[in-house]
Amino acid sequence: MTGWMRHWVKFFAAIGIAAGLTACGGDDDDPPPPGNIVQVAQANGFNALAAAATKAGLVATLTDANANLTVFAPTDAAFATLATQLGYTDATAMVNALPANALANILTYHVLPAKKTSSMLTAGAQATAYTYNGAPATFTLSTTGGVSITDAVLTTAKVTTADVPASNGVIHVIDKVLVPPGVLNIVQMAQANPAFTTLVGAVVSANLQATLSGAGPFTVFAPTNDAFAAIASTVAGLTTPQLAQVLTYHVLASQVLAADIPFGTPVTTVEGETITINAGTPPTITDKTATPAPIVATDIRASNGVIHVISKVLIPSL
């Protein structure tokens, strides 16, 4: 057992004893008062969340009696899924590997700085406790057909259990870890979205994973799985150098946000040839084929650049 795990066990053993003494002192017919957010999370088996909060140094924040927070709490299974996507053996390995500040940023992206029960939640952008580029980072909440959350990597978490009470706020259980902007690198952001599994596989096959995980900054026009499926036979016939050529044709050696796209002006890719981005609804990219590629989503912010999603694979001169 690691040192932080021993600390966690001792911490909860202590609060468990305290809770028991409190319960003994009250009326037998009275339900015990809820513990704080950390106590309630631990009592409900959120072990990965507890471990991440400990390493991130957030236990004091989440046990603060004067706080009044809303926490969207991913299950252990949700942490295990993200760990697998990012290439870790399990959630424990992921928590051990990620830096404390990265875990803190991820977890505070799950926190609203005010108590909001399910009846108080409203659709639209929600300002979280995670600050990115000098402002609270947001996710998008939907109340259609239950409560769901779309995060910065455009994946959706569903609230599976709402309104778990705590003495210093409320917990809503979710089935996926929310991915914030600016924490994971471009490769990890692609790994965290199942729509990019083919792209990730191609990046690994072309030995570009280390490059796109590097300092950057980069702009990546990321084709979806469906985009790759449309030219599956073509991709299957590419050599490794040709595959690398195709993929680097999707990359710019600088960060270009949607607001800064130079429409109508050819821009040089890492592959060496140019693409032209055309204004429109949606905007499109002209490659070396006769069919433009629609840009279907923009500004997925990674720690080393930005991803824009496209629905067609860009083809250079092969």
Side-chain angles (χ1 to χ4, degrees):
M1 181 180 292
T2 63
W4 61 263
M5 290 180 68
R6 283 193 295 272
H7 167 79
W8 193 256
V9 169
K10 290 178 182 178
F11 175 79
F12 280 108
I15 61 175
I17 292 170
L21 292 174
T22 301
C24 290
D27 192 310
D28 289 342
D29 294 330
D30 293 335
N36 61 49
I37 286 170
V38 172
Q39 292 172 318
V40 172
Q42 181 68 8
N44 283 276
F46 290 83
N47 300 306
L49 176 62
T54 301
K55 182 174 177 179
L58 292 177
V59 171
T61 298
L62 297 177
T63 57
D64 183 359
N66 296 317
N68 208 19
L69 307 173
T70 300
V71 175
F72 294 92
T75 62
D76 282 0
F79 272 95
T81 296
L82 180 62
T84 299
Q85 290 172 324
L86 298 184
Y88 298 106
T89 54
D90 54 31
T92 298
M94 180 177 70
V95 171
N96 288 339
L98 292 177
N101 66 322
L103 289 171
N105 292 337
I106 291 170
L107 294 184
T108 52
Y109 189 61
H110 292 72
V111 178
L112 303 183
K115 179 180 177 180
K116 292 189 177 183
T117 62
S118 58
S119 63
M120 299 166 64
L121 294 173
T122 57
Q126 309 292 317
T128 71
Y130 166 50
T131 299
Y132 178 64
N133 279 352
T138 63
F139 57 65
T140 303
L141 190 144
S142 171
T143 55
T144 302
V147 177
S148 60
I149 299 166
T150 300
D151 61 12
V153 77
L154 303 183
T155 54
T156 300
K158 293 186 180 297
V159 173
T160 57
T161 303
D163 298 332
V164 180
S167 61
N168 60 342
V170 64
I171 295 172
H172 305 301
V173 182
I174 55 176
D175 61 359
K176 192 191 87 68
V177 177
L178 303 176
V179 178
V183 176
L184 302 180
N185 64 49
I186 283 172
V187 173
Q188 292 172 322
M189 292 293 273
Q191 289 172 321
N193 189 326
F196 299 128
T197 54
T198 306
L199 173 62
V200 171
V203 166
V204 172
S205 295
N207 299 316
L208 292 173
Q209 185 172 3
T211 298
L212 293 176
S213 300
F218 303 107
T219 298
V220 174
F221 296 97
T224 62
N225 294 340
D226 289 342
F228 275 102
I231 60 164
S233 60
T234 300
V235 173
L238 296 175
T239 64
T240 298
Q242 287 175 325
L243 179 60
Q245 184 181 351
V246 169
L247 293 175
T248 53
Y249 189 57
H250 292 74
V251 182
L252 306 181
S254 62
Q255 177 173 274
V256 181
L257 301 177
D260 301 320
I261 290 175
F263 292 114
T265 301
V267 291
T268 302
T269 68
V270 169
E271 184 264 346
E273 296 182 278
T274 62
I275 57 175
T276 301
I277 307 172
N278 314 295
T281 308
T284 60
I285 301 174
T286 300
D287 59 6
K288 301 305 178 185
T289 72
T291 305
I295 301 175
V296 297
T298 60
D299 291 347
I300 298 175
R301 301 294 297 274
S303 61
N304 62 340
V306 64
I307 297 172
H308 305 306
V309 184
I310 57 176
S311 58
K312 173 189 173 292
V313 177
L314 304 176
I315 304 296
S317 300
L318 294 172

